[in-house]
Amino acid sequence: MNAPAKTDEFAVQNPAQGGVKIPDGVYAETVISVEHYTDRLFRFRMTRPDAFRFRSGEFAMIGLMVGEKPVYRAYSIASPAWDEELEFFSIKVPDGPLTSHLQAIKPGDTVLMRKKPTGTLVLDALTPGKRLYMFSTGTGIAPFASLIRDPETYEKFDEVILTHTCRDVAELKYGFDLVHEINNHEFLHEIVGTKLKHYPTVTREDFTYRGRITDLMESGKLFTDLGVPPLNPETDRGMICGSAAMLKDTKALLEKAGLNEGANNKPSEFVIERAFVG
Ligand code: A2P
């Protein structure tokens, strides 16, 4: 190999991957646990480097050695900034360059992580408000898994509404597990109290709440079900994470309600994570 890119410089011998050398300048972390939810979804936890700092809601580049080459993809960090471990929630794509391998990881395996986290789904990118909506579909719940476990979210907002839309009920389980964990957590349950509202919906089978979140917003059913007034730019803030089409449609509805898109360098009323879509 000649003139390798920075992260392709092979420097460290990694016994956990059969002696394959891992790239220089990236973290090589150890998988602690893996939980498979469906044939499309799983979560895993791994060690966190002491020097690795991030803001809840940000993403990092996660990778594996595939043969002699590292393959990376952007992954929202699903654990909160205070957690000693790192958690990720992943889709399994049968032919995916990374996820076809990542879905086979086991405790003790090595996962690579680039050193710099980034992202727009952070509390600092929003102006102060009363009610924070987190709109997610599928694995788009991951950055919110981080934020709903961060005390700062509840210092800044009186009410936090997590919407999660999936094709079927089995795909909602991660969200239910998170809420259960919070309610049983030694200090989080007191901080969160009754501020967190979980609104799970499915589109392809029967369930208490049915339909795309965009349709439920347009019809007003979301607000009626939650017992809250319609979206108001004075009080409401939003964060969106999902497929490209979902981002576009949800953004249009927030703008129609008078909310403006913000960014790290220009906080405003809602933010979108575009890192995962083409
Ligand atoms: P639907 O079943 O009607 O396509 P996926 O698994 O394909 O990523 O989809 C996750 C969820 O996001 C599904 O419930 C899907 O609904 C929903 N969804 C797909 N496109 C949009 C969109 N443009 N706006 C809102 N929800 C969407």
Side-chain angles (χ1 to χ4, degrees):
M1 183 183 295
N2 51 22
K6 193 162 179 272
T7 51
D8 290 340
E9 286 163 15
F10 297 111
V12 186
Q13 195 81 24
N14 177 19
Q17 292 195 334
V20 174
K21 287 176 183 169
I22 64 161
D24 198 7
V26 300
Y27 295 121
E29 297 306 306
T30 306
V31 176
I32 296 165
S33 62
V34 184
E35 185 174 356
H36 292 270
Y37 291 99
T38 66
D39 55 6
R40 293 209 309 153
L41 297 170
F42 71 109
R43 87 158 134 180
F44 66 96
R45 292 178 71 87
M46 67 182 200
T47 52
R48 174 177 176 171
D50 289 342
F52 182 72
R53 295 279 168 269
F54 68 99
R55 294 182 292 173
S56 294
E58 287 189 316
F59 68 89
M61 300 302 290
I62 293 294
L64 283 179
M65 295 304 296
V66 177
E68 293 222 315
K69 289 206 156 196
V71 176
Y72 295 97
R73 287 291 178 275
Y75 270 85
S76 285
I77 303 164
S79 45
W82 55 262
D83 201 327
E84 284 173 11
E85 298 171 1
L86 295 173
E87 180 175 313
F88 299 93
F89 183 50
S90 178
I91 192 127
K92 306 175 196 177
V93 182
D95 302 321
L98 178 62
T99 66
S100 60
H101 302 281
L102 196 64
Q103 63 181 280
I105 55 169
K106 289 184 229 36
D109 287 352
T110 299
V111 170
L112 308 178
M113 183 174 68
R114 286 203 179 131
K115 292 195 168 172
K116 215 179 138 15
T118 185
T120 48
L121 299 181
V122 290
L123 295 168
D124 289 348
L126 294 174
T127 49
K130 285 190 175 167
R131 190 177 292 121
L132 174 58
Y133 283 91
M134 300 169 171
F135 299 103
S136 67
T137 54
T139 54
I141 193 175
F144 306 138
S146 173
L147 283 158
I148 61 169
R149 290 184 278 183
D150 191 329
E152 196 187 340
T153 305
Y154 305 94
E155 282 161 24
K156 293 199 161 168
F157 292 93
D158 296 338
E159 203 172 1
V160 177
I161 296 166
L162 169 66
T163 85
H164 188 207
T165 302
C166 292
R167 296 179 187 188
D168 53 51
V169 178
E171 294 183 337
L172 295 174
K173 185 166 187 300
Y174 181 55
F176 283 115
D177 286 359
L178 288 169
V179 174
H180 181 78
E181 275 173 37
I182 289 170
N183 289 336
N184 291 284
H185 191 271
E186 53 173 329
F187 68 80
L188 274 180
H189 83 275
E190 272 182 36
I191 292 167
V192 177
T194 56
K195 285 185 169 181
L196 176 64
K197 309 269 182 326
H198 180 209
Y199 191 82
T201 86
V202 296
T203 49
R204 302 195 191 183
E205 70 178 7
D206 212 10
F207 185 60
T208 323
Y209 299 115
R210 282 211 59 168
R212 291 184 172 193
I213 200 64
T214 41
D215 294 336
L216 293 160
M217 289 164 82
E218 273 197 294
S219 70
K221 188 169 187 306
L222 168 68
F223 310 109
T224 317
D225 286 343
L226 291 167
V228 297
L231 288 176
N232 175 353
E234 298 277 308
T235 51
D236 296 337
R237 300 293 171 262
M239 291 181 160
I240 319 174
C241 193
S243 64
M246 179 271 192
L247 296 182
K248 182 168 162 283
D249 294 350
T250 313
K251 171 184 153 91
L253 289 172
L254 295 190
E255 286 178 338
K256 198 169 145 197
L259 281 73
N260 297 298
E261 186 177 354
N264 270 294
N265 57 2
K266 189 177 153 287
S268 195
E269 286 124 18
F270 74 91
V271 278
I272 294 178
E273 188 55 80
R274 295 188 172 83
F276 314 105
V277 291

